Amino acid sequence: MKLATLRDGTRDGRLAVVSRDLSRAAFADGIARTLQAALDDWRVHAPALAALADRLESGSAAGAFDFEPTAAMAPLPRAHHWVDGSAYVNHVELVRKARGATMPESFWTDPLVYQGGSDDLLGPTQDAPFPSEDHGIDLEGEVAVVTDDVAIGCDPAAARAHIRLLMLVNDWSLRNLIPGELEKGFGFYQSKPATSFSPVAVTPDELGTAWDGAKLHLPLIAKINDRLLGHPNAGVDMTFDFGQLIAHVTKTRRLGAGAIVGSGTISNYDRSLGSCCLAEVRMLEKLARGTPATPFLKFGDRVRIEMLDAAGRSIFGAIDQRVVKAP
Amino acid sequence: MKLATLRDGTRDGRLAVVSRDLSRAAFADGIARTLQAALDDWRVHAPALAALADRLESGSAAGAFDFEPTAAMAPLPRAHHWVDGSAYVNHVELVRKARGATMPESFWTDPLVYQGGSDDLLGPTQDAPFPSEDHGIDLEGEVAVVTDDVAIGCDPAAARAHIRLLMLVNDWSLRNLIPGELEKGFGFYQSKPATSFSPVAVTPDELGTAWDGAKLHLPLIAKINDRLLGHPNAGVDMTFDFGQLIAHVTKTRRLGAGAIVGSGTISNYDRSLGSCCLAEVRMLEKLARGTPATPFLKFGDRVRIEMLDAAGRSIFGAIDQRVVKAP
């Protein structure tokens, strides 16, 4: 099934089930008011939500209405845990290469993750506010999973069963603030503003054979101002799959239901597929010509991130946002 | 007023007002079910909660009962944002000195903060679970504030008005995992497990002249197995006050109501006052004698963190927890 959170004036929005083709929706009233509430007791609520999804597909859901992505908040407008991996290690290798540094061998076996803020998760068509263009505004196209409760010390195989939902992510990054933040050693804080999510979150069964239990084998399409930036395959060159990422983040702590675990910027060795972030484009330019040519984003630019199934239908709906100056 | 969240089988618990002397409590039923709900609409709910607190003090609150800290969860058992500063820069200077490194001058003017996980915040008397003693289990005694909504670009003076509550914190740290995590450059993730909080959160007016609007001028008392580890003053040698920390963390993002901002381990230049973490004790030993002598915590150890007012009364109740092996 596909789930969306619709704007209703509250901070957590109102949970709705959305049809497979993203055309129709029905509120999950009487089942769970919010997606967090559904995840808090998933075993109880998921069957009722699935039954509603079936009625919606067959046209028998009472009170169904047209689904408008512009009415969608992030599936979890605020969460309790947002941890983002950097699972496409070829991307990290490239970053290092561009600045003439070698990458520690351990990066191929020990995942990189950072903790993000989860109090302000942006909806798919909401304007994305930034204080200054000088910060080097960049997109990062990613896939993320939402887990149920995961105990300390979960192993990668067992972790797969804790994946309840998948979403697309734009992990906005402020490239010019990253070097200073990382130099301080405490993480990305100021360089990672509010993150954006797709209109719907989907259960793994919606993905068919494209989902192997830990990787999503489909291209992510990233566009800037309607121009294709890249369409690398999320299932290719993913050094750490979601099972491994969840195992990594539960080494010393448990995850509460509704935790969001991201893949990091999708990146393939096959550079003909393009990129999901401008930093990668600029690094390739630097390696090829000595200096980067493509600028970071400007106020007014639009960023679109989407994933299509084998038949060309949008799975998650599109993140389609305008970069704006923060008020 | 003083607020606690009592265990009721739900993930977010049940909000109660607690008397000034921590002896009595009354549920905030009919006002707000949870502390997050109260913070989501603080201007509406705070007056009603204050009125209930007044009735509780005068003995006229219906349904009042004895307050048991063992029934308390963390005031926010899960939050949407937990960011911890390292505001006592003398502590950072000492860490560096102990490993023979100098500290960048910028650390005196540009705060260090890290993003913590906020899906699993431990209650004051709950056992604190860790997978292994080999990780170097340590306490970090701190003060934290809870904010309401704060816009991007809030300045330090304006930030003070966004501080709604204060709490004590034990920011558990796994010292032997920190060097490896920081070397990777993405932050502390695995080295910062679930954090613990005091039985009650208090509004700034409860602190009288000890609260100057941005710093809390009282000693934090840290004990291990009933033996005093230290009682440094939280208002002394705090390089960045809470107004400055909030301004720092809102440089590129807003904070949602209920965001928790921590001070970092309290540490005074006056070493006769002791320490609030074992790492500092060990560094002082290393500087004095060449090698650290005090071990990190073992399973079964108890850690107590408390703050008393000028008359010797506990303000927040005590964090008093046992270190245990994670199941």
Side-chain angles (χ1 to χ4, degrees):
Chain A
M1 63 187 151
K2 301 189 176 189
L3 299 167
T5 294
L6 301 186
R7 208 170 285 116
D8 70 345
T10 69
R11 293 174 184 267
D12 297 304
R14 189 172 172 193
L15 181 61
V17 169
V18 178
S19 65
R20 198 153 286 145
D21 68 359
L22 305 176
S23 71
R24 301 279 287 165
F27 286 118
D29 296 4
I31 304 171
R33 212 201 168 281
T34 66
L35 181 53
Q36 183 64 55
L39 288 158
D40 283 350
D41 213 351
W42 188 251
R43 278 172 207 283
V44 170
H45 298 313
L49 291 169
L52 176 58
D54 287 345
R55 292 199 299 280
L56 188 64
E57 290 301 327
S58 68
S60 65
F65 52 91
D66 287 350
F67 175 63
E68 294 289 348
T70 52
M73 304 170 82
L76 289 165
R78 48 184 185 174
H80 298 290
H81 198 103
W82 157 226
V83 56
D84 197 18
S86 193
Y88 300 83
V89 177
N90 85 81
H91 171 81
V92 181
E93 194 182 31
L94 189 66
V95 179
R96 297 265 179 160
K97 197 170 165 189
R99 66 166 201 255
T102 55
M103 191 180 73
E105 267 306 302
S106 63
F107 280 23
W108 292 105
T109 52
D110 183 31
L112 285 168
V113 301
Y114 86 90
Q115 182 93 51
S118 49
D119 53 339
D120 185 26
L121 306 180
L122 300 179
T125 65
Q126 205 176 332
D127 284 346
F130 303 97
S132 170
E133 290 177 343
D134 296 341
H135 291 168
I137 304 163
D138 197 2
L139 64 150
E140 289 199 7
E142 312 189 358
V143 171
V145 300
V146 180
T147 74
D148 57 13
D149 292 291
V150 190
I152 293 177
C154 185
D155 70 49
R160 294 174 174 221
H162 292 285
I163 296 170
R164 296 306 188 182
L165 296 169
L166 289 99
M167 309 182 285
L168 302 185
V169 178
N170 184 355
D171 181 42
W172 294 103
S173 294
L174 300 174
R175 297 293 178 192
N176 297 339
L177 300 186
I178 289 179
E181 284 291 76
L182 294 198
E183 199 181 326
K184 288 161 74 180
F186 272 40
F188 287 96
Y189 198 89
Q190 288 187 330
S191 56
K192 291 285 186 178
T195 312
S196 303
F197 292 85
S198 51
V200 304
V202 313
T203 47
D205 60 289
E206 290 291 332
L207 300 164
T209 56
W211 175 246
D212 70 7
K215 287 184 189 179
L216 180 48
H217 297 270
L218 285 170
L220 188 85
I221 303 160
K223 291 180 179 175
I224 297 174
N225 299 328
D226 293 324
R227 192 170 160 179
L228 184 69
L229 183 68
H231 54 118
N233 192 305
V236 174
D237 301 326
M238 190 187 196
T239 310
F240 306 104
D241 66 29
F242 282 109
Q244 291 169 302
L245 290 175
I246 293 168
H248 179 81
V249 301
T250 55
K251 180 177 172 184
T252 58
R253 65 175 301 130
R254 70 179 201 89
L255 290 181
I260 304 171
V261 181
S263 68
T265 314
I266 296 166
S267 175
N268 291 170
Y269 272 115
D270 179 354
R271 304 295 178 201
S272 74
L273 299 172
S275 298
C276 283
C277 69
L278 291 169
E280 187 169 290
V281 173
R282 289 166 55 88
M283 286 182 291
L284 291 167
E285 290 168 344
K286 189 176 172 191
L287 289 170
R289 290 173 250 159
T291 101
T294 304
F296 289 119
L297 296 165
K298 302 288 177 199
F299 295 139
D301 283 343
R302 289 201 78 87
V303 174
R304 187 178 170 97
I305 292 173
E306 197 165 15
M307 184 174 271
L308 309 181
D309 67 15
R313 292 167 301 216
S314 184
I315 298 172
F316 301 92
I319 299 176
D320 190 351
Q321 288 179 295
R322 204 163 48 117
V323 172
V324 301
K325 177 139 180 54
Chain B
M1 64 187 151
K2 302 190 176 189
L3 299 168
T5 295
L6 300 186
R7 207 170 287 117
D8 69 345
T10 68
R11 293 174 184 266
D12 297 303
R14 188 173 172 194
L15 181 61
V17 169
V18 178
S19 64
R20 199 153 284 145
D21 68 358
L22 305 175
S23 70
R24 301 280 286 165
F27 286 118
D29 296 3
I31 303 172
R33 214 201 168 279
T34 66
L35 182 52
Q36 183 65 53
L39 288 158
D40 282 350
D41 213 352
W42 188 251
R43 279 173 206 283
V44 170
H45 298 313
L49 291 169
L52 176 58
D54 286 345
R55 292 199 299 280
L56 188 64
E57 289 301 327
S58 67
S60 64
F65 52 91
D66 288 348
F67 175 63
E68 295 289 349
T70 52
M73 305 169 82
L76 289 165
R78 50 184 184 174
H80 298 290
H81 199 102
W82 157 226
V83 55
D84 197 17
S86 192
Y88 299 83
V89 177
N90 85 81
H91 171 82
V92 181
E93 195 181 31
L94 189 67
V95 179
R96 297 266 178 158
K97 198 170 165 189
R99 65 166 203 253
T102 55
M103 191 179 75
E105 268 305 302
S106 63
F107 280 24
W108 292 105
T109 51
D110 183 32
L112 286 167
V113 302
Y114 85 91
Q115 183 92 51
S118 49
D119 53 340
D120 185 26
L121 306 181
L122 300 179
T125 65
Q126 206 176 332
D127 286 345
F130 303 97
S132 170
E133 290 176 342
D134 296 341
H135 291 168
I137 305 163
D138 198 1
L139 64 150
E140 289 199 8
E142 311 187 1
V143 172
V145 300
V146 181
T147 75
D148 56 15
D149 292 292
V150 189
I152 294 177
C154 186
D155 69 50
R160 294 175 174 219
H162 291 286
I163 297 170
R164 296 306 187 182
L165 297 168
L166 290 98
M167 310 182 286
L168 301 184
V169 177
N170 184 356
D171 181 43
W172 296 103
S173 294
L174 300 174
R175 298 292 178 191
N176 297 339
L177 299 185
I178 289 179
E181 285 291 76
L182 294 199
E183 200 181 327
K184 288 161 75 180
F186 273 39
F188 287 95
Y189 197 89
Q190 287 186 332
S191 56
K192 292 284 186 178
T195 312
S196 303
F197 292 85
S198 51
V200 303
V202 313
T203 47
D205 60 290
E206 289 292 331
L207 301 164
T209 56
W211 175 247
D212 69 6
K215 287 184 188 178
L216 180 48
H217 297 269
L218 283 170
L220 188 86
I221 303 161
K223 292 180 179 175
I224 297 173
N225 299 328
D226 292 325
R227 192 171 158 178
L228 185 68
L229 182 68
H231 54 119
N233 192 305
V236 174
D237 300 326
M238 190 186 196
T239 309
F240 306 105
D241 66 29
F242 283 108
Q244 292 169 302
L245 290 174
I246 293 167
H248 179 81
V249 301
T250 55
K251 181 178 172 183
T252 59
R253 63 176 301 129
R254 70 178 201 89
L255 290 181
I260 304 171
V261 181
S263 67
T265 314
I266 296 167
S267 175
N268 291 170
Y269 272 115
D270 180 353
R271 305 295 178 201
S272 74
L273 299 172
S275 299
C276 283
C277 70
L278 290 168
E280 187 169 291
V281 173
R282 288 166 55 89
M283 286 183 289
L284 291 167
E285 289 168 344
K286 190 176 171 191
L287 289 170
R289 289 173 251 159
T291 88
T294 304
F296 288 119
L297 296 165
K298 301 288 177 199
F299 296 139
D301 283 343
R302 289 201 78 86
V303 174
R304 187 179 170 96
I305 291 173
E306 198 166 15
M307 185 175 271
L308 310 180
D309 67 14
R313 290 167 302 215
S314 185
I315 297 172
F316 301 92
I319 299 175
D320 190 352
Q321 288 179 296
R322 203 162 50 116
V323 172
V324 303
K325 176 140 181 54

